[in-house]
Amino acid sequence: MSIHEIVLALSLVGFFGYALVSKKRDFVWISSIGILLTLWLKFLGWTGTLQFFGILIEVIIVSAILSYLYRSFLILVLPEKLSKEVSTAPLTAAFGLLMITIYAFVGIFGPALAPYGEAEVIADAFAFRNEEMLLGADQIGRDFFSRLIYGTRNTVGLALAATLAAFVVGTIGGLLAATQGGRLDQIMGRIADVIMSIPSLIFALLLLSILGPKWWVLIIAVGIIYAPRVFRLTRAVAGNIVVMDYIEAAKLRGEKNSYLIRKEILPNVTAPLVAEFGLEFCFVFLLIAGLSFLGLGLQPPTADWGSMVRENATLITYQDSTPLIPAAAIALLTISVNFVVDWVLFRSSGLKE
Amino acid sequence: MDGLAFLIIKRLFYGLLTLLALSVIIFFMVELLPGDTATSLLAMGKTEETLAAMREQMGLDRPAVVRYFEWLGGVVQGDFGNSMVRGVHTSKGVSDMANVSVISIISERFMNTLFLATYAAVIAVPIAITLGVLIALLRNSVYDRIANVLTLTSISSPEFFLAYILILYLALKTGLFPAISTIKDDMTFFESLERTFLPALTLVLVCIAHMMRMTRAAIINLLASPYIEMAQMKGIPPWKVIVRHALPNAWAPIINVVALNLAYLITGVVLVEIVFVYPGIGQILVDAVTLRDFPVVQACCLIFATTFILLNLIADVVAIVTNPRLRHPK
Amino acid sequence: MSSENEIILDIKGLKIDGFTGEQWLPIVKGVNLQLNKGEVLGLIGESGAGKSTIGAASMGFSRDGTRVSGGTINFMGTELTTASESQKRKLWGAKIAYVAQSAAASFNPAHKIIDQHTEAPTHHNLFSKSDSESDAVDLYNRLKLPDPDQIGFRYPHQVSGGQLQRAMTAMAMSCRPDLIIFDEPTTALDVTTQIEVLASIRDIVDQFGTAAIYITHDLAVVAQMADKIKVLLKGEEVEEAPTERMMKSPKEEYTKSLWAVRSHQRKQKTRPENSDAFLSINSIDASYSNGPKVLDAVSFDIYKGTTVAVVGESGSGKSTAARCITGLLPPSTGKILLDGKELPSNFRDRSKDQLRQTQMIYQMADTALNPKVKVKEIIGRPAEFYEGFIGKDLDNRVDELLELIEMDPGEYRDRLPPELSGGQKQRIGIARALAANPSFIICDEITSALDQLVAEGILKLLDRLQNELDLTYMFITHDLATVRAIADEVVVMQNGKVVEQGPKTEMFTPPHHPYTDLLLSSIVEMDPNWLTTVIEKREGTSS
């Protein structure tokens, strides 16, 4: 029996025991199903699968501990108001925060961390991993690990810039439409409707085919595609606020629109917009990853996670999962952001009541 | 009944308008390009005379608005014009035919794409809705939390990541299913089902996650209604409350969820087709984008977007029809 | 009624917690309650008293986010705190029924009213569907619903609110339960509709000898409905006594203060002789975006230093009149004069000084104050905007205004609205209006969302401010009790028209316009026999 199997067995039995002691019926069910499943798999001789589950549990335990430590660290370091907020974060959200911090760190200090240059050819194509190359070489002999690190800055940076573009356009449009109302509001709403009636990936492909795959085209395309979504949300949230009596009071006082937006509306829409930024970032990130997987994202030799998967996909045929690491990196960041957004949304909706 | 019919007609009319707006966008975006089709066709060895002749032959000397209506007229009859790139798209090897008609390139492949999307939908929709309702009933329990983390993970993963993981584990390591989904005309239905199981499964996984989350939200929203509490206070058992009181009001939100996800399937198919080398319309689209074969891009975009709009239209009409306030006006 | 002293509901030491999103806090802190067969208990208290939670708990139902943390609830021998869900379901609908506040939301929009009516009896196997249907028609008849044979076959949205409320009472009766819980059943209704519903509820409870718990915040209503009254405050019992005694001689200070509210009445100011109206509205018509007319040739005058109450039910156009005066809804014809000069119809065309002169106080203090802006900025902004106060002067002005509305500047200056109570928020709303140094203030239903004691405080404050600052008020309300308390002159509106106007004393003495008469006779009075008398009188005149 391998160490992973022992971990699996121990944690299942421990969980079952805890469930019995704390009299949580759901936990008893889940743990007994887990134990039966494990025994069955052992009987079938699927040790690989069992080891996988063992590793999964190890990963979960380790990340839970790390998240807990990171949350405690944040509570200590941050100013009082923020640390009070953070102390309400569930472990999943703490995990998300931890991951986002790590990605930001790698993104900012990427060039200093990477052992080799982004486009530096140092070995044969698909060379095996060794002491110098943690993950081996890619399809033309560049260090896969270094490119992975460079990819953080490129892929995440591009997605951030594109989301920001969509947000600036969408928020301004939404606030204008909500405060001005009337014809402007209607026209903007109709335009948003039409753009949103085209599937995002298809619209991006259309724009890319016309303007060619360049980074600024990607930003513009994403800006056009996602701005209507941000517009809709801002319009809806701000729309709920414009009908409030305090807005009427300010209007009747003779205040100008700019005052209304800055002082009366914006403070009330920031919380939902921050959560929306996280959500939209996830969609944009996945869209851009998909496009670069199709070879229509950042062009070579720039390192980019989506295209790294595609370019090295041949390795998968040889049962080597290295090309999936950038894909996993994409998934991990998206999950982390989603975890944080989940918590922020829960907080803001819970506080309303 | 008049009010209801009027609302539906209004919605249909609005859908038609959106379609028109869409065709305008798709047509005129290509027009925005520097140079025209003739320029790009005669990229090499062009003279002013040959260009002018070419333009006249292709009708490019006439105003864009006229050409738009001609194009639209053709599209309505299934004529999307001719491909600008010679023969690259025929599935039976590279041929030398110039000016293959777009419709001949995409029609067969569109059926393949539809097949894959339907395959995925047939599996995903019933499972997702059942699970979504179940999770809504078990809200705030441990199961709900577990489902939340799992579905979040699934929707956060790029499709190609899931696809390659499935290939790695279900095709290469265990050999349970084929890794590449080429299908041929002479295959039986069940052979095709087996061949395309992995791409379908990829779509199903992402789709179920999305749909479950949306169904859960819709049902929870519904269960918070005072009339549900009223029914409970009449001593009606939970299952009957769901069937009699929640379900009749849940059609609109559920259909909406289904339509949104079918629409998602239609586009999600593009990436999956590439990974599994599946001969669908998505592949053609990506190739055409790389080769800048605009008539094909236009046609594919129009088809995808139309499907998307139609699905949303159906969802809205169902919502109108099932709304008791509209069905039984005062 | 309570001659058979058989206890059907016995609650002892009931404690209920509510979940705030972070922790469980007590909402009900040990309440005892006993109900005999056929007896009607009135549960009365202000918001946050826990009366609605007790109502649901007395049938063993705990809403999401609440839990019973102590005590016992015994209903006809069954202990509801420990009973299983299926045991309780056997009682619900059959033995205990519930009537909710909003009938429109509590009927399922997808089914006909009668199908929802027969659901409980057929489910509990008490009546066959056809028996239950004919019984429904009988109940509709007794509840004086129009067209009782057919009304059940309509969908909920096809029936008016007052009728739905009666249909829900019929539904609660469908199994002939031993106990019905009425949770503020008439709060959402107009005054004239309210008394008809009250009367029909009382009659039917009487006819079948059903015991009931009647939950309300309205003293006068409870006096009409209940055999005995229990007063609650913040989850605790204040006192309980038979209705007559409770109305005549309450023991506790809190109850006495509740009772005293309605007696507040100020001296009527007389219209100054030979002076011109301060604000004059000259036959204005108005409608929303080309819709039907909401105001039809409305004219009235308001004199300096007086209070004019504009009274009417929902849809009467009283709030629209206010919107015309403020310029939010420019009238299609007619004009409005302020101090003899015509006001531009759209507020955007008015001068800063014209805008300053007319200020508004809103009904819902929650939506009237920006939750993200501190009190000192809310009050400070008009002072800065109109009067040019800045820096130290502005701070002083804010403090002065806070003192004017009887709030401690040091404590409240830096608070955000969500950190204030309902009454405090309303005071800040008043301070914001005062900060503009206005001469005319429109008060739009400003007390209707407040508890009675708090509302009285606000009315007294406004009274004092009027005398100190020589203010003129236009008071929009549907509540004639409020009118009686504060008005000098009264304008009665119905369907966008002014039906009657004049000094208050004249308005409250006959002869009246028939609609005024209807309104006046709909004010629920404290006298427990009032409802009976009114209904008898109305039936006498109509037949």
Side-chain angles (χ1 to χ4, degrees):
Chain A
M1 250 183 17
S2 75
I3 178 88
H4 303 308
E5 283 175 82
I6 296 171
V7 168
L8 177 65
L10 280 180
S11 50
L12 278 174
V13 171
F15 184 38
F16 185 65
Y18 167 74
L20 282 184
V21 172
S22 64
K23 288 185 184 151
K24 288 189 172 149
R25 227 189 324 156
D26 295 338
F27 285 5
V28 176
W29 272 109
I30 293 171
S31 54
S32 12
I33 291 172
I35 289 172
L36 288 176
L37 196 70
T38 312
L39 289 176
W40 185 53
L41 287 175
K42 187 77 192 164
F43 171 74
L44 287 178
W46 287 27
T47 43
T49 317
L50 286 181
Q51 284 189 2
F52 171 76
F53 281 127
I55 295 172
L56 198 67
I57 286 178
E58 285 156 28
V59 170
I60 290 175
I61 291 174
V62 170
S63 31
I65 293 171
L66 285 179
S67 314
Y68 182 81
L69 291 177
Y70 187 62
R71 186 175 62 187
S72 318
F73 167 75
L74 281 180
I75 293 174
L76 276 179
V77 179
L78 289 173
E80 193 192 356
K81 216 174 166 189
L82 274 175
S83 76
K84 217 173 165 186
E85 281 290 310
V86 171
S87 64
T88 67
L91 275 187
T92 46
F95 173 77
L97 287 174
L98 173 64
M99 285 301 144
I100 292 170
T101 318
I102 293 175
Y103 275 77
F105 182 79
V106 174
I108 294 167
F109 300 105
L113 298 171
Y116 299 99
E118 191 174 7
E120 205 177 329
V121 177
I122 54 159
D124 294 336
F126 297 129
F128 284 110
R129 50 188 76 179
N130 55 33
E131 276 115 56
E132 271 95 57
M133 295 186 295
L134 273 175
L135 298 170
D138 74 355
Q139 85 281 12
I140 55 169
R142 294 168 296 194
D143 179 34
F144 199 85
F145 181 67
S146 299
R147 285 181 68 75
L148 193 62
I149 288 178
Y150 275 102
T152 317
R153 169 181 279 195
N154 300 335
T155 315
V156 180
L158 181 67
L160 264 184
T163 316
L164 215 60
F167 246 76
V168 170
V169 178
T171 322
I172 293 177
L175 288 175
L176 273 180
T179 43
Q180 300 281 341
R183 183 124 358 125
L184 180 82
D185 184 19
Q186 278 185 2
I187 292 173
M188 287 172 96
R190 289 282 182 273
I191 293 175
D193 276 356
V194 171
I195 296 178
M196 284 176 70
S197 72
I198 309 173
S200 51
L201 182 68
I202 304 302
F203 201 4
L205 287 174
L206 179 67
L207 285 169
L208 284 169
S209 76
I210 292 163
L211 298 170
K214 300 179 190 83
W215 64 268
W216 57 268
V217 176
L218 283 170
I219 293 183
I220 291 177
V222 169
I224 296 178
I225 295 167
Y226 284 92
R229 285 159 227 261
V230 182
F231 167 82
R232 277 260 186 102
L233 181 94
T234 317
R235 170 75 188 80
V237 177
N240 285 336
I241 291 172
V242 225
V243 296
M244 293 283 172
D245 293 334
Y246 57 83
I247 300 289
E248 189 181 297
K251 272 192 198 163
L252 284 177
R253 197 186 305 141
E255 302 281 7
K256 297 199 175 62
N257 258 335
S258 58
Y259 173 90
L260 288 181
I261 292 182
R262 268 186 307 120
K263 292 279 180 168
E264 305 280 1
I265 301 177
L266 263 185
N268 286 294
V269 297
T270 30
L273 281 183
V274 166
E276 183 66 11
F277 188 85
L279 275 184
E280 292 302 328
F281 171 79
C282 292
F283 287 123
V284 169
F285 194 47
L286 288 177
L287 173 68
I288 288 187
L291 288 173
S292 57
F293 175 76
L294 295 175
L296 297 163
L298 293 173
Q299 293 303 298
T302 315
D304 169 67
W305 288 343
S307 49
M308 282 173 75
V309 178
R310 182 72 180 286
E311 288 158 4
N312 297 285
T314 339
L315 283 179
I316 297 172
T317 335
Y318 302 103
Q319 304 197 13
D320 179 350
S321 52
T322 317
L324 293 184
I325 295 174
I330 295 169
L332 188 59
L333 180 59
T334 321
I335 295 170
S336 304
V337 174
N338 265 324
F339 279 159
V340 177
V341 168
D342 236 27
W343 164 57
V344 173
L345 279 180
F346 179 77
R347 284 291 293 170
S348 60
S349 72
L351 284 176
K352 258 181 224 154
E353 281 141 34
Chain B
M1 238 15 223
D2 277 349
L4 190 63
F6 175 73
L7 270 177
I8 292 174
I9 288 168
K10 199 171 133 193
R11 182 64 189 85
L12 289 176
F13 178 74
Y14 188 57
L16 203 69
L17 220 61
T18 315
L19 273 177
L20 265 179
L22 188 83
S23 69
V24 170
I25 292 179
I26 288 175
F27 182 82
F28 284 96
M29 263 199 181
V30 176
E31 288 293 315
L32 282 179
L33 276 174
D36 54 25
T37 323
T39 335
S40 46
L41 270 183
L42 294 172
M44 276 176 287
K46 63 183 173 198
T47 62
E48 282 305 313
E49 294 89 73
T50 46
L51 256 182
M54 187 81 174
R55 286 207 175 109
E56 207 184 319
Q57 182 200 335
M58 297 178 76
L60 290 175
D61 50 342
R62 282 170 301 148
V65 183
V66 175
R67 277 180 290 123
Y68 165 72
F69 282 108
E70 282 174 6
W71 175 76
L72 193 65
V75 166
V76 173
Q77 295 160 38
D79 174 15
F80 290 92
N82 293 335
S83 164
M84 280 162 38
V85 182
R86 280 191 236 175
V88 181
H89 294 300
T90 50
S91 50
K92 291 135 188 141
V94 177
S95 85
D96 210 22
M97 297 181 298
N99 297 337
V100 186
S101 79
V102 174
I103 192 77
S104 70
I105 298 173
I106 57 177
S107 58
E108 182 195 348
R109 295 200 159 205
F110 180 61
M111 295 318 287
N112 288 348
T113 295
L114 266 188
F115 170 72
L116 183 57
T118 316
Y119 187 6
V122 167
I123 302 176
V125 173
I127 296 181
I129 289 181
T130 323
L131 286 179
V133 173
L134 222 64
I135 287 302
L137 293 181
L138 294 171
R139 64 185 179 281
N140 300 332
S141 72
V142 200
Y143 305 105
D144 186 26
R145 304 245 168 87
I146 295 174
N148 181 32
V149 171
L150 286 182
T151 52
L152 213 55
T153 310
S154 177
I155 60 174
S156 301
S157 309
E159 289 92 345
F160 57 85
F161 181 47
L162 286 177
Y164 278 127
I165 287 182
L166 292 181
I167 290 185
L168 197 59
Y169 287 97
L170 295 184
L172 300 171
K173 292 209 171 170
T174 51
L176 290 172
F177 298 98
I180 291 190
S181 314
T182 44
I183 53 169
K184 298 193 186 72
D185 293 339
D186 54 357
M187 280 183 188
T188 66
F189 182 62
F190 286 101
E191 269 175 331
S192 333
L193 282 188
E194 197 222 340
R195 278 261 149 171
T196 52
F197 182 72
L198 287 187
L201 185 61
T202 313
L203 289 171
V204 164
L205 285 180
V206 184
C207 210
I208 283 189
H210 270 290
M211 241 192 283
M212 259 177 78
R213 292 179 76 86
M214 292 161 91
T215 311
R216 174 185 181 276
I219 296 287
I220 286 183
N221 195 7
L222 201 70
L223 291 182
S225 317
Y227 59 80
I228 297 290
E229 186 180 284
M230 193 71 220
Q232 290 167 338
M233 285 181 162
K234 280 195 239 168
I236 312 292
W239 67 268
K240 220 170 163 183
V241 172
I242 297 286
V243 173
R244 251 187 75 81
H245 292 275
L247 217 53
N249 296 292
W251 290 124
I254 286 181
I255 295 285
N256 194 26
V257 171
V258 172
L260 270 180
N261 283 281
L262 291 184
Y264 158 77
L265 270 181
I266 296 289
T267 53
V269 125
V270 175
L271 283 160
V272 173
E273 280 178 8
I274 300 285
V275 176
F276 291 94
V277 204
Y278 181 80
I281 192 177
Q283 254 198 356
I284 296 238
L285 174 58
V286 174
D287 286 348
V289 170
T290 343
L291 296 168
R292 311 188 79 181
D293 187 353
F294 299 117
V296 177
V297 174
Q298 280 177 332
C300 292
C301 287
L302 204 57
I303 289 173
F304 277 122
T306 308
T307 326
F308 199 86
I309 292 175
L310 283 181
L311 283 168
N312 282 324
L313 188 66
I314 293 171
D316 284 357
V317 171
V318 171
I320 295 173
V321 172
T322 56
N323 185 338
R325 284 167 215 272
L326 296 175
R327 216 156 24 130
H328 312 283
K330 285 191 177 176
Chain C
M1 272 180 290
S2 48
S3 54
E4 318 162 52
N5 275 337
E6 186 193 333
I7 295 173
I8 59 161
L9 181 70
D10 191 2
I11 296 179
K12 286 204 175 82
L14 179 65
K15 288 182 185 157
I16 301 173
D17 292 347
F19 195 63
T20 58
E22 274 163 27
Q23 53 186 343
W24 290 94
L25 291 176
I27 320 177
V28 176
K29 305 157 191 162
V31 166
N32 301 314
L33 189 157
Q34 272 191 358
L35 195 61
N36 291 328
K37 201 167 193 303
E39 193 177 33
V40 178
L41 168 74
L43 268 188
I44 182 157
E46 306 185 302
S47 53
K51 49 195 192 304
S52 206
T53 317
I54 296 176
S58 46
M59 58 192 291
F61 190 91
S62 43
R63 296 204 165 90
D64 276 354
T66 65
R67 65 173 186 204
V68 174
S69 58
T72 55
I73 306 165
N74 191 303
F75 174 77
M76 296 177 86
T78 313
E79 178 49 47
L80 294 179
T81 48
T82 52
S84 71
E85 285 298 309
S86 66
Q87 270 177 306
K88 284 192 274 188
R89 274 201 297 272
K90 284 207 184 87
L91 298 175
W92 293 346
K95 301 272 178 200
I96 317 176
Y98 183 83
V99 175
Q101 176 172 354
S102 165
S106 298
F107 271 105
N108 191 330
H111 300 297
K112 288 178 186 153
I113 293 170
I114 202 151
D115 290 339
Q116 303 188 49
H117 181 105
T118 58
E119 189 176 14
T122 49
H123 173 76
H124 293 292
N125 286 323
L126 295 170
F127 289 102
S128 71
K129 185 158 165 69
S130 59
D131 284 353
S132 178
E133 272 179 17
S134 47
D135 181 55
V137 174
D138 176 46
L139 287 170
Y140 295 155
N141 247 320
R142 289 165 186 259
L143 285 161
K144 306 195 177 66
L145 274 167
D147 195 11
D149 295 327
Q150 291 305 315
I151 197 164
F153 296 90
R154 297 203 208 142
Y155 284 86
H157 62 273
Q158 296 168 326
V159 175
S160 78
Q163 292 168 359
L164 267 189
Q165 202 69 48
R166 276 182 263 182
M168 186 151 64
T169 306
M171 187 158 86
M173 275 296 174
S174 62
C175 295
R176 301 291 184 275
D178 296 285
L179 171 65
I180 300 184
I181 290 147
F182 291 95
D183 192 353
E184 305 249 13
T186 61
T187 309
L189 303 176
D190 265 333
V191 273
T192 46
T193 324
Q194 163 169 292
I195 60 163
E196 288 163 18
V197 176
L198 282 180
S200 55
I201 287 179
R202 194 182 62 173
D203 289 350
I204 200 145
V205 168
D206 227 24
Q207 284 170 23
F208 293 111
T210 317
I213 295 179
Y214 196 97
I215 299 165
T216 178
H217 66 279
D218 191 335
L219 272 171
V221 165
V222 86
Q224 311 307 318
M225 307 301 286
D227 300 321
K228 59 181 183 182
I229 295 175
K230 184 189 281 292
V231 183
L232 295 169
L233 174 67
K234 291 181 182 140
E236 276 168 297
E237 179 175 335
V238 178
E239 64 177 311
E240 184 189 309
T243 305
E244 291 274 350
R245 210 179 72 210
M246 186 68 110
M247 302 308 292
K248 282 197 185 110
S249 49
K251 283 196 198 107
E252 301 294 319
E253 277 309 309
Y254 175 71
T255 322
K256 282 180 192 159
S257 66
L258 274 182
W259 269 226
V261 171
R262 297 228 161 198
S263 52
H264 169 83
Q265 193 168 347
R266 71 164 211 204
K267 218 172 77 205
Q268 185 192 331
K269 290 181 190 153
T270 43
R271 183 188 296 192
E273 300 265 331
N274 302 327
S275 75
D276 286 331
F278 179 62
L279 184 93
S280 167
I281 292 154
N282 283 339
S283 74
I284 51 172
D285 286 4
S287 57
Y288 290 100
S289 52
N290 300 326
K293 265 190 200 172
V294 215
L295 290 186
D296 191 357
V298 169
S299 302
F300 55 88
D301 291 338
I302 300 177
Y303 291 88
K304 185 111 186 110
T306 62
T307 300
V308 169
V310 180
V311 197
E313 294 180 288
S314 52
S316 62
K318 56 191 194 304
S319 288
T320 311
R323 291 176 71 83
C324 288
I325 297 172
T326 55
L328 279 169
L329 181 76
S332 47
T333 57
K335 49 187 167 179
I336 297 164
L337 304 171
L338 183 76
D339 230 355
K341 279 175 229 112
E342 186 176 348
L343 277 178
S345 57
N346 191 320
F347 76 93
R348 290 175 209 278
D349 304 327
R350 293 183 187 174
S351 70
K352 212 169 175 177
D353 197 54
Q354 284 170 327
L355 289 172
R356 182 188 62 76
Q357 287 216 10
T358 310
Q359 290 293 313
M360 181 126 179
I361 307 171
Y362 296 87
Q363 174 180 13
M364 306 298 292
D366 280 327
T367 63
L369 306 180
N370 190 334
K372 303 276 174 171
V373 179
K374 285 186 181 161
V375 163
K376 64 173 179 201
E377 290 169 51
I378 293 177
I379 304 180
R381 179 66 190 173
E384 181 194 352
F385 187 80
Y386 291 124
E387 313 262 275
F389 284 102
I390 41 164
K392 238 317 155 2
D393 290 345
L394 183 59
D395 291 347
N396 290 337
R397 175 71 176 145
V398 168
D399 290 359
E400 195 184 301
L401 286 163
L402 279 170
E403 273 159 16
L404 205 54
I405 53 160
E406 295 151 23
M407 281 171 81
D408 177 23
E411 197 181 341
Y412 293 106
R413 208 187 290 131
D414 289 306
R415 295 242 195 136
L416 289 171
E419 297 161 359
L420 302 175
S421 74
Q424 288 171 338
K425 282 182 211 166
Q426 201 55 285
R427 281 167 191 261
I428 299 298
I430 295 173
R432 176 174 60 190
L434 293 179
N437 199 9
S439 46
F440 176 58
I441 298 180
I442 301 174
C443 306
D444 188 359
E445 300 265 14
I446 58 166
T447 55
S448 59
L450 298 174
D451 287 323
Q452 289 179 29
L453 276 176
V454 183
E456 196 203 6
I458 296 283
L459 293 182
K460 281 184 176 159
L461 172 68
L462 284 172
D463 218 9
R464 205 197 80 214
L465 291 171
Q466 181 165 49
N467 292 330
E468 284 176 21
L469 305 171
D470 194 24
L471 294 167
T472 309
Y473 295 142
M474 170 171 154
F475 216 98
I476 297 168
T477 183
H478 67 274
D479 181 17
L480 284 157
T482 313
V483 175
R484 206 177 268 175
I486 51 103
D488 300 312
E489 307 216 6
V490 183
V491 174
V492 182
M493 290 187 69
Q494 185 194 19
N495 300 330
K497 289 193 179 107
V498 174
V499 293
E500 197 173 3
Q501 54 182 313
K504 176 174 68 175
T505 37
E506 273 175 34
M507 298 300 294
F508 282 94
T509 38
H512 314 288
H513 180 276
Y515 181 70
T516 316
D517 201 40
L518 181 68
L519 272 183
L520 280 174
S521 69
S522 299
I523 314 177
V524 185
E525 285 178 31
M526 300 291 253
D527 172 13
N529 298 318
W530 169 85
L531 184 61
T532 325
T533 335
V534 170
I535 294 296
E536 275 168 7
K537 215 162 83 189
R538 280 196 190 174
E539 274 164 7
T541 49
S542 64
S543 60

